[in-house]
C-alpha cells in the first residue's frame, strides 16, 4: 500500500512540474511576478476542492483529512470562494 502512495505522490510532483514547464513556456521569457503565491494558492484551492468532494461536503472530515482545524478550513473555503 505504501508503495502505491509513494507512486501517487511522485505523480503529483510530476504534474506540478509539467504545469510549471507549460507556464514558463507560455511566459515566453518574461519574468514571472509573485510565482510562489500563485502556485501555492492554486494548489491549495485544488487540494481543498478535491478533499471536500472526497469527504462528501463534510467539513469536519475534510479538515481531519487535511490535518487542519475546521476553522482553518472554513477560512480557506472563504478565501477561495468555495462557500
Amino acid at each position: 500500500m505504501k508503495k502505491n502512495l509513494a507512486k501517487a505522490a511522485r505523480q503529483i510532483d510530476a504534474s506540478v512540474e509539467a504545469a510549471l514547464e507549460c507556464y514558463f513556456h507560455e511566459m515566453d521569457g518574461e519574468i514571472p511576478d509573485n510565482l510562489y503565491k500563485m502556485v501555492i494558492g492554486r494548489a491549495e484551492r485544488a487540494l481543498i476542492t478535491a478533499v471536500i468532494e472526497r469527504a462528501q461536503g463534510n467539513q469536519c472530515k475534510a479538515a481531519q483529512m487535511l490535518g487542519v482545524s475546521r476553522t482553518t478550513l472554513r477560512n480557506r473555503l472563504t478565501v477561495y470562494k468555495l462557500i
Side-chain angles (χ1 to χ4, degrees), residues 2-69:
K2 289 194 185 258
K3 184 176 181 181
N4 290 338
L5 292 177
K7 181 179 178 183
R10 285 191 302 276
Q11 288 173 333
I12 292 170
D13 294 343
S15 294
V16 171
E17 289 172 9
L20 285 169
E21 284 300 319
C22 181
Y23 180 80
F24 289 133
H25 178 75
E26 293 297 320
M27 292 291 293
D28 197 30
E30 290 184 43
I31 303 296
D33 184 43
N34 226 353
L35 182 61
Y36 181 84
K37 184 177 180 180
M38 186 266 299
V39 171
I40 297 302
R42 290 184 177 270
E44 184 177 47
R45 186 180 200 286
L47 172 63
I48 290 170
T49 300
V51 170
I52 285 288
E53 284 182 17
R54 183 78 173 176
Q56 299 176 335
N58 183 320
Q59 292 179 8
C60 289
K61 187 175 179 180
Q64 182 181 14
M65 290 170 67
L66 290 165
V68 300
S69 69

Side-chain angles (χ1 to χ4, degrees), residues 44-45 73-83:
E44 184 177 47
R45 186 180 200 286
L73 175 59
R74 286 194 54 81
N75 288 340
R76 303 318 293 166
L77 289 168
T78 301
V79 165
Y80 297 117
K81 297 177 176 60
L82 297 172
I83 57 170

